[in-house]
C-alpha cells in the first residue's frame, strides 16, 4: 500500500503545475488503497501564509482530492533539530560562515577557470579557533550537509535509470544562519518518518533527490521510490503563466472533472478523455505512461472537456442546481435533458432557463419577416407540449409552402433567439409563455 504526499509551500496559490503533482500522488495512493498525505511545507514563517494554506486546501477539496492526513512542517521543527544533531554526530554536518558576496566571488572565479561552481568546502578545514573567531565576528553560520562524492542512482518511475554525479553539487545548506530549517532537510526527515513510499514531483527536483537520498541514508530509514514528471509549459512551449491558478479556472466555469481528466492523461501516451468521477481516473492511471518531454498545457482544452462532462451529467447530479434556478419540479428533469448538451458551463443553464421562462428576443432575417409573422399567427394554443412543434410546423408548411431547413431555421431563430440549441420539440414544450414577434419594418 502506497503512502504518498503532496507537499506545497503555502507561499502562493495552487496552480495547474502543482495540481498535477497533487493528482499523481493522490492517484497512486488511491489506486493501492494507501494513504495520501497533505503536507504543508511551511518552515519559512515569513513567506508562508495561513490564507494560502487555506486556499490550497479549498482548491484540493473543490477538486475532490481528499487527503487522509494533514501535516504541517512548522509543527515538526523539533524533529528536524533531532535529525540535524544526528548528522552532526556523524560528522556529516558543518558550519560555514561565508557571506553571500564571498560565495558569489568564489563561484565567479570557478566559472572563469572553467570549473563547475561547486562550494569548495573551505569551512571544513577551519581550525577551532578560526571558527570561534568567525562566530564572534559574524554570528551563527549556516549548516551544510557533507555530501559523499560519487554517484547517486535510482530507477525513476518516469525518467528510468538516473545517475547523478554528486561531486558536481554543492553541499546543501540545510539550516540557515537565522536557524531556519530548509526544505531539503525537513522534507527528507518527513518522508522517512511518515513512511512515504512514493514521491512524485517535478523534474526541477532531480538534483534535490540526489542530495535527499544521501540525507535519508544518513538519518536511516527506507528511501521512497521517486518519479519526476516533466514540467508544464504554455501552449507554445513558453513558461507557464502564474495566473493559471485554480481559482481563476473555477471562476471561468471549468469543472473539476474536466481539469482532473486532462491532468491525469496530459503528457502520457493515453488519450485525454472526460471521466465522470475520480474513481474512473484511478482505474486507468499508470505513472510509467508519462513521457519526459515538457508537457504543453492549454487552458482552452478544458472548455470542450467541461462541456462534455456537463453533457454526460445525470439529472440527479444537478437536481439541486436546477431547483435553485426556480425550474418547476414537473419540468425539471425535462429541462436538464434538453439543455445538458447545449451548455459550456454549469451557469449556461441559467440562460436557457431565462429563455424558457421569459421568452427570447427573436432573431429574424429581413427576408424572413413576413414568413415569421405568418407562422406566429398559426401558433397552437398555449400551453404547449411535446406535440406542439410538429403540429405547428405542419400548419406553417401548409400555409406558406416552405419546407425543410427554410422552414425550421427561421422558426428556431425567431422562437429561441439563436441558431443552435435543443430539439425544437423540447424547446416548445418547455416554453413558459407563447413566443411573441412584432415585425418592425425598417423602411
Ligand atoms: N515544498 C516543495 C515544493 O513545493 C515540495 C517538493 C517535494 O515534493 O518534495 O517544491
Amino acid at each position: 500500500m502506497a503512502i504518498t504526499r503532496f507537499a506545497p509551500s503555502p507561499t502562493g496559490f495552487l496552480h495547474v503545475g502543482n495540481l498535477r503533482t497533487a493528482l499523481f500522488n493522490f492517484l497512486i495512493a488511491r489506486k493501492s488503497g494507501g494513504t495520501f498525505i497533505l503536507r504543508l511545507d511551511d518552515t519559512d514563517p515569513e513567506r508562508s501564509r495561513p490564507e494560502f494554506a487555506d486556499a490550497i486546501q479549498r482548491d484540493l477539496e473543490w477538486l475532490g482530492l481528499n487527503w487522509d492526513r494533514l501535516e504541517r512542517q512548522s509543527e515538526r521543527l523539533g524533529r528536524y533539530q533531532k535529525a540535524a544533531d544526528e548528522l552532526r554526530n556523524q560528522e556529516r554536518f558543518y558550519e560555514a560562515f561565508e557571506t553571500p558576496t564571498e560565495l558569489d566571488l568564489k563561484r565567479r572565479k570557478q566559472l572563469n577557470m572553467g570549473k563547475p561552481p561547486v562550494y569548495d568546502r573551505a569551512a571544513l578545514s577551519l581550525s577551532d579557533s578560526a571558527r570561534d573567531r568567525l562566530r564572534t565576528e559574524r554570528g551563527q553560520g549556516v549548516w551544510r550537509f557533507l555530501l559523499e562524492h560519487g554517484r547517486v542512482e535510482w530507477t525513476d518511475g518516469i525518467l528510468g535509470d538516473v545517475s547523478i554525479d554528486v561531486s558536481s553539487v554543492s553541499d546543501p545548506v540545510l539550516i540557515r544562519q537565522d536557524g531556519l530549517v530548509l526544505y531539503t532537510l525537513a522534507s527528507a526527515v518527513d518522508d522517512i518518518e511518515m513512511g512515504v513510499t512514493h514521491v512524485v514531483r517535478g523534474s526541477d527536483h532531480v538534483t534535490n533527490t540526489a542530495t535527499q537520498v544521501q540525507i535519508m541514508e544518513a538519518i536511516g530509514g527506507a528511501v521512497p521510490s521517486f518519479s519526476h514528471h516533466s514540467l508544464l509549459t504554455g501552449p507554445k512551449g513558453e513558461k507557464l503563466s502564474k495566473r493559471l491558478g485554480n481559482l481563476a479556472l473555477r471562476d471561468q466555469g471549468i469543472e473539476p472533472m474536466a481539469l482532473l481528466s486532462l491532468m491525469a492523461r496530459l503528457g502520457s501516451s493515453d488519450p485525454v478523455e472526460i471521466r465522470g468521477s475520480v474513481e474512473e481516473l484511478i482505474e486507468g492511471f499508470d505513472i510509467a505512461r508519462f513521457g519526459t518531454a515538457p508537457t504543453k498545457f492549454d487552458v482552452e482544452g478544458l472548455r470542450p472537456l467541461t462541456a462534455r462532462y456537463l453533457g454526460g451529467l445525470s439529472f440527479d447530479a444537478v437536481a439541486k442546481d436546477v431547483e435553485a434556478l426556480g425550474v418547476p419540479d414537473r419540468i425539471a428533469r425535462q429541462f436538464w435533458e434538453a439543455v445538458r448538451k447545449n451548455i459550456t458551463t454549469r451557469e449556461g443553464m441559467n440562460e436557457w432557463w431565462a429563455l424558457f421562462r421569459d421568452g427570447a428576443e427573436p432573431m429574424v432575417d429581413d427576408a424572413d419577416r413576413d414568413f415569421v409573422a405568418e407562422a406566429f399567427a398559426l401558433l397552437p394554443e398555449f400551453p404547449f407540449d411535446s406535440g406542439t412543434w410538429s403540429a405547428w410546423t405542419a400548419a406553417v408548411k401548409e400555409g406558406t409552402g416552405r419546407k425543410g431547413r427554410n422552414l425550421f431555421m427561421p422558426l428556431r431563430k425567431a422562437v429561441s433567439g439563436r441558431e443552435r440549441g435543443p430539439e425544437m420539440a423540447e424547446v416548445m414544450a418547455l416554453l413558459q409563455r407563447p413566443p411573441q414577434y412584432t415585425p418592425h419594418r425598417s423602411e
Side-chain angles (χ1 to χ4, degrees):
M1 279 202 304
I3 301 180
T4 64
R5 79 325 189 259
F6 172 51
S9 307
T11 54
F13 293 110
L14 204 64
H15 54 83
V16 284
N18 46 28
L19 173 142
R20 191 164 175 243
T21 312
L23 177 62
F24 288 1
N25 284 293
F26 171 85
L27 291 175
I28 289 173
R30 289 290 171 267
K31 196 168 178 173
S32 76
T35 306
F36 176 58
I37 303 171
L38 171 60
R39 192 186 80 204
L40 296 169
D41 285 0
D42 58 354
T43 55
D44 186 340
E46 267 164 39
R47 297 182 56 229
S48 304
R49 299 261 174 79
E51 54 271 32
F52 289 133
D54 290 347
I56 289 170
Q57 291 176 65
R58 276 202 310 274
D59 281 347
L60 292 175
E61 280 163 2
W62 173 65
L63 289 160
L65 303 184
N66 304 319
W67 53 94
D68 307 301
R69 215 170 124 183
L70 176 72
E71 297 283 353
R72 293 172 198 273
Q73 290 195 326
S74 56
E75 290 168 2
R76 297 176 45 80
L77 299 178
R79 308 278 187 159
Y80 313 139
Q81 291 304 341
K82 257 203 174 138
D85 288 342
E86 173 63 29
L87 294 177
R88 272 182 207 106
N89 287 341
Q90 291 180 29
E91 300 188 352
R92 295 292 296 277
F93 221 26
Y94 63 96
E95 201 175 4
F97 298 90
E98 289 91 346
T99 62
T101 322
E102 284 168 349
L103 288 173
D104 198 42
L105 207 69
K106 284 187 189 203
R107 268 194 294 268
R108 271 196 244 167
K109 269 193 195 155
Q110 285 166 316
L111 287 171
N112 278 343
M113 293 191 300
K115 287 188 186 162
V118 179
Y119 176 61
D120 62 6
R121 296 181 162 173
L124 258 188
S125 42
L126 289 174
S127 66
D128 286 350
S129 61
R131 196 172 293 122
D132 287 345
R133 201 191 63 240
L134 281 166
R135 211 177 272 141
T136 320
E137 281 172 21
R138 301 186 174 187
Q140 293 288 322
V142 301
W143 286 87
R144 287 184 184 265
F145 175 66
L146 184 66
L147 289 167
E148 225 163 62
H149 284 173
R151 305 195 81 89
V152 173
E153 300 185 327
W154 71 90
T155 303
D156 195 282
I158 294 172
L159 303 175
D161 289 336
V162 178
S163 172
I164 303 282
D165 179 8
V166 173
S167 47
S168 64
V169 180
S170 295
D171 289 339
V173 173
L174 301 188
I175 298 185
R176 260 180 12 187
Q177 194 174 24
D178 60 4
L180 190 90
V181 175
L182 292 180
Y183 150 78
T184 312
L185 174 62
S187 181
V189 171
D190 288 347
D191 287 344
I192 293 277
E193 291 194 0
M194 295 173 192
V196 171
T197 57
H198 297 70
V199 172
V200 182
R201 56 189 178 189
S203 52
D204 49 338
H205 281 289
V206 166
T207 309
N208 271 341
T209 297
T211 58
Q212 286 178 332
V213 165
Q214 285 206 356
I215 296 170
M216 289 174 180
E217 283 169 351
I219 305 169
V223 175
S225 86
F226 287 93
S227 302
H228 296 85
H229 59 71
S230 66
L231 299 184
L232 290 185
T233 70
K236 295 192 197 77
E238 74 278 21
K239 199 168 173 266
L240 196 65
S241 128
K242 270 245 155 56
R243 283 178 299 116
L244 281 175
N246 273 316
L247 291 173
L249 294 174
R250 192 185 330 194
D251 293 344
Q252 292 171 25
I254 298 297
E255 289 287 323
M257 276 316 298
L259 194 49
L260 296 180
S261 298
L262 181 70
M263 286 301 165
R265 297 291 183 272
L266 194 68
S268 80
S269 46
D270 295 318
V272 175
E273 284 160 10
I274 188 72
R275 302 286 170 179
S277 66
V278 169
E279 285 66 37
E280 287 175 47
L281 282 181
I282 296 169
E283 256 168 54
F285 183 78
D286 182 0
I287 193 89
R289 299 178 74 82
F290 285 81
T292 56
T295 304
K296 289 185 179 144
F297 167 77
D298 188 351
V299 71
E300 293 310 317
L302 292 168
R303 297 186 210 286
L305 283 174
T306 292
R308 238 174 289 158
Y309 173 73
L310 293 169
L313 276 188
S314 71
F315 171 68
D316 294 338
V318 295
K320 278 209 183 73
D321 294 342
V322 173
E323 191 189 343
L325 263 187
V327 181
D329 272 358
R330 70 190 153 76
I331 56 163
R333 188 177 290 271
Q334 196 187 348
F335 166 75
W336 177 246
E337 289 306 325
V339 303
R340 66 188 169 101
K341 293 211 162 66
N342 290 285
I343 51 178
T344 50
T345 66
R346 215 171 264 255
E347 292 254 298
M349 71 170 104
N350 304 12
E351 265 175 58
W352 282 111
W353 177 240
L355 186 158
F356 296 136
R357 189 190 53 208
D358 309 330
E361 180 64 35
M363 184 193 244
V364 181
D365 294 344
D366 284 349
D368 290 328
R369 284 188 176 157
D370 292 340
F371 165 71
V372 171
E374 237 181 299
F376 271 48
L378 294 169
L379 271 169
E381 287 281 300
F382 198 74
F384 298 159
D385 58 30
S386 57
T388 301
W389 173 250
S390 59
W392 183 35
T393 49
V396 174
K397 185 174 170 185
E398 196 171 314
T400 66
R402 280 215 201 190
K403 52 183 190 221
R405 197 183 148 79
N406 240 352
L407 166 70
F408 301 127
M409 202 55 183
L411 295 185
R412 171 183 283 282
K413 283 160 56 179
V415 169
S416 71
R418 49 187 95 191
E419 291 180 357
R420 268 180 290 275
E423 292 291 325
M424 279 308 290
E426 296 168 42
V427 171
M428 294 298 281
L430 284 162
L431 289 180
Q432 302 300 294
R433 54 164 71 189
Q436 309 284 335
Y437 176 59
T438 331
H440 301 287
R441 302 229 162 238
S442 44
E443 61 268 27

